[in-house]
Amino acid sequence: MLKLFNTMSRQLEDFEPLNDKEVTFYSCGPTVYDYAHIGNLRTYIFSDILKRVLLFDGYNVKHVMNITDVGHLTEESEQGEDKIERSARMEAKSALEIADFYAQAFKDDLRKLNIIEPNIWCKATDHINEQIELIKKLEEKGHVYKTSDGIYFDTSKVKDYGKLARLNLEGLEEGSRVDVNIEKKNPTDFALWKFSPQDKQRQMEWDSPWGKGFPGWHAECSAMSMKYLGETIDIHTGGIDHIPVHHTNEIAQSEAATGKPFVRFWAHGDFLLINEGKMAKSLGNFITLNTLPENGFDPIVYRIFCLSSHYRSKLNFSWEALEGAKNTWLRLKRKFLDLGRQTGEINVLFLEKFKTAVNDDLGMPQALAVFWEVFKSNISDFDKHATLLEFDKVLGLNLAELKEEQAVIPGEIMKLMEERKKARENKKWQKADELRKKIEDLGYEVEDTAQETHVRKK
Ligand code: AMP
Ligand code: ZN
């Protein structure tokens, strides 16, 4: 049985779904105003591992992920510009073009990292009615009030507001003097619906019972989670930064609307750091997945890098550390291919050991250690092959494909690769570049690393 750390109780708990064999699972998705950075992607790798462990344990998982394409403002205080509209202005495109472009880029990133797609993708702008209905319900129950710029949720009406983050509300009360939004009754109150500004034309706005405007960011996750998964769900994931505001507010508004617990297990991944500090778009210190191949790294190396630490520990990114993950990947690949293509039996002892590791709050470093133990053991290559392929259901390194891919490189390409290698050894760079072009024109791509060169089908 899976033991999972629940942020709500701050404890490891035995996980069991509410409904027999199906796990209802919601992940806060990206705000699509820019490329995701590899910090964001660490959080999605963590969710993917959690989902794969549940599948490995024999559950069906119904996984929903939202795409935030409206309402996420540049400032936490419910002020500032809509992030999507700001990008649209800066890139001279429509809000829809911006959202579509970066949503597609995000899905491409997930694919490159072997992250299993959710069963349902849902966009905030496709669910405006659901959000309005939620706000109407809260209004009927007396949980909202109106200010000059929108409809706000009154957090003082909720007895256990802030329970997820264990917020000290009195401390916040004192800090409220710096809050720029003077019409808010409590510093923790948040916008459910924002009115369109008088002096500026918004690209995205809708009619509502309260006036023309757009939904606040938190409303979408509650409305869409309830629509697709029900009023109480099993698991909700995100990064730790979401605990004090976004998830706290999702809980407050959902539970105020339904009177039922919103989520049974809150699972949060810790941050990816860079130079020991937070990686964030707003700090301008971020790296996107596209920069990895440009620096000689297969994106899957980043997955291995993330697997090497526990999801609830901070992880410091550096190119040197990534080099370590790359060497692990190259070694692992070579050893796996050396096992040959025939498959035997899954070794039950190793399988048990692996299961124990992954079910202990996703102990991926331990699970990887079992992976290497299998290589070193004296079981047959066939059985090693079968056992490691089974482990790969959780690790998600796509080992089965790797084999085929390597096997189908035609002789003609291998010959060109050999010629190119010689040219490089003799420092005939122009010739090497011509050969690379030739290989690429035949539909293959070449990747050079410090130690070796890889070729694969585009
Ligand atoms: P956003 O697109 O800003 O809504 O963020 C998408 C996801 O990435 C959220 O779950 C965040 O909690 C998470 N996130 C943001 N920054 C980091 C980071 N440096 N490391 C890990 N996760 C992060
Ligand atoms: Zn969310």
Side-chain angles (χ1 to χ4, degrees):
M1 181 186 275
L2 171 63
K3 280 208 186 298
L4 186 62
F5 186 84
N6 190 343
T7 307
M8 187 62 92
S9 67
R10 303 285 195 277
Q11 273 173 2
L12 288 178
E13 293 180 24
D14 290 336
F15 175 79
E16 255 184 317
L18 203 54
N19 295 319
D20 212 18
K21 284 271 150 200
E22 184 167 82
V23 179
T24 46
F25 189 125
Y26 186 95
S27 301
C28 283
T31 307
V32 284
Y33 67 104
D34 200 342
Y35 292 103
H37 60 63
I38 56 173
N40 302 133
L41 294 169
R42 181 186 185 203
T43 292
Y44 297 106
I45 291 174
F46 141 64
S47 301
D48 185 57
I49 294 293
L50 174 52
K51 174 168 152 185
R52 284 172 179 268
V53 169
L54 293 163
L55 293 168
F56 199 64
D57 286 346
Y59 294 114
N60 290 321
V61 179
K62 188 170 179 192
H63 185 203
V64 174
M65 196 188 292
N66 66 301
I67 298 224
T68 300
D69 55 354
V70 71
H72 198 162
L73 304 183
T74 49
E75 287 164 42
E76 289 263 320
S77 56
E78 306 290 349
Q79 304 296 307
E81 206 175 345
D82 188 309
K83 290 187 180 186
I84 309 283
E85 296 225 346
R86 189 186 54 168
S87 277
R89 183 168 55 73
M90 289 186 347
E91 293 191 30
K93 299 215 170 85
S94 72
L96 185 68
E97 281 169 333
I98 289 291
D100 280 353
F101 178 82
Y102 289 113
Q104 192 50 51
F106 178 71
K107 289 179 187 177
D108 290 345
D109 285 350
L110 297 194
R111 197 173 33 76
K112 288 179 194 153
L113 291 167
N114 292 344
I115 292 175
I116 305 174
E117 275 205 65
N119 305 82
I120 296 173
W121 286 107
C122 44
K123 292 200 296 185
T125 52
D126 287 340
H127 297 79
I128 300 298
N129 280 341
E130 286 83 350
Q131 295 175 75
I132 290 177
E133 285 308 311
L134 173 72
I135 304 165
K136 271 166 60 183
K137 232 186 220 176
L138 293 169
E139 187 178 37
E140 280 160 25
K141 296 194 171 189
H143 279 287
V144 313
Y145 61 92
K146 188 173 169 180
T147 72
S148 61
D149 72 358
I151 301 295
Y152 280 76
F153 185 90
D154 185 346
T155 54
S156 68
K157 295 265 169 71
V158 178
K159 277 205 297 301
D160 53 5
Y161 180 80
K163 62 184 170 185
L164 181 71
R166 307 197 171 170
L167 293 181
N168 172 0
L169 297 180
E170 277 166 25
L172 283 174
E173 222 49 82
E174 277 169 27
S176 67
R177 265 166 290 164
V178 291
D179 202 319
V180 285
N181 194 341
I182 47 167
E183 288 181 74
K184 274 183 6 180
K185 291 189 186 166
N186 310 288
T188 47
D189 292 355
F190 56 91
L192 293 163
W193 187 262
K194 291 268 307 195
F195 301 134
S196 294
Q198 305 278 343
D199 55 338
K200 258 191 263 155
Q201 175 68 43
R202 274 184 63 89
Q203 289 192 37
M204 300 183 286
E205 56 182 8
W206 295 266
D207 287 325
S208 82
W210 313 280
K212 200 168 263 196
F214 58 100
W217 171 39
H218 316 300
E220 64 177 271
C221 286
S222 292
M224 297 194 281
S225 176
M226 289 197 247
K227 170 169 178 165
Y228 293 109
L229 299 172
E231 291 180 338
T232 300
I233 70 159
D234 291 313
I235 300 178
H236 191 125
T237 63
I240 47 161
D241 56 325
H242 281 347
I243 299 170
V245 182
H246 184 50
H247 290 164
T248 287
N249 293 344
E250 281 185 31
I251 294 170
Q253 68 199 2
S254 305
E255 299 191 350
T258 67
K260 295 178 191 159
F262 177 45
V263 169
R264 298 174 59 241
F265 282 79
W266 285 96
H268 292 100
D270 207 327
F271 261 43
L272 180 80
L273 308 180
I274 185 155
N275 303 324
E276 307 294 338
K278 176 176 166 176
M279 179 180 288
K281 284 175 205 164
S282 56
L283 298 175
N285 61 0
F286 66 90
I287 292 169
T288 61
L289 198 65
N290 286 338
T291 32
L292 298 194
E294 289 163 17
N295 286 279
F297 293 94
D298 186 327
I300 205 67
V301 168
Y302 183 63
R303 188 175 173 105
I304 300 230
F305 177 68
C306 291
L307 295 183
S308 64
S309 76
H310 191 259
Y311 76 95
R312 285 194 291 114
S313 308
K314 297 195 190 316
L315 176 60
N316 200 39
F317 177 83
S318 69
W319 291 105
E320 295 76 49
L322 200 63
E323 196 67 43
K326 179 163 147 183
N327 289 334
T328 304
W329 173 232
L330 294 178
R331 208 149 56 92
L332 190 155
K333 222 158 62 160
R334 198 175 49 237
K335 281 178 98 57
F336 185 77
L337 288 168
D338 285 349
L339 296 177
R341 279 200 272 165
Q342 232 171 321
T343 272
E345 305 263 319
I346 296 168
N347 181 287
V348 276
L349 287 178
F350 282 123
L351 181 63
E352 274 315 304
K353 226 171 160 180
F354 182 82
K355 267 193 181 161
T356 306
V358 299
N359 279 303
D360 181 12
D361 197 29
L362 319 181
M364 301 319 290
Q366 293 79 354
L368 278 178
V370 182
F371 193 95
W372 287 104
E373 251 185 77
V374 172
F375 274 136
K376 281 192 224 120
S377 72
N378 53 14
I379 64 174
S380 75
D381 282 0
F382 300 158
D383 290 359
K384 284 182 188 173
H385 188 262
T387 308
L388 296 177
L389 275 186
E390 184 67 11
F391 292 1
D392 196 37
K393 288 180 181 165
V394 175
L395 303 177
L397 302 174
N398 236 348
L399 296 179
E401 296 244 328
L402 168 81
K403 220 174 54 177
E404 277 162 36
E405 200 181 88
Q406 297 280 323
V408 294
I409 304 288
E412 183 194 0
I413 301 290
M414 294 309 284
K415 211 167 131 252
L416 291 169
M417 285 292 290
E418 230 2 80
E419 273 178 50
R420 180 169 174 273
K421 191 170 154 220
K422 288 218 182 85
R424 278 162 63 88
E425 279 164 6
N426 296 324
K427 303 205 166 14
K428 292 187 173 156
W429 305 118
Q430 200 186 336
K431 173 121 205 262
D433 281 347
E434 280 165 20
L435 286 161
R436 172 196 276 269
K437 173 114 202 345
K438 224 171 180 178
I439 296 165
E440 285 175 350
D441 289 347
L442 290 166
Y444 289 79
E445 62 188 0
V446 182
E447 189 198 355
D448 295 312
T449 70
Q451 293 89 354
E452 47 193 328
T453 294
H454 299 274
V455 63
R456 61 173 168 230
K457 220 173 163 59
K458 274 191 198 160

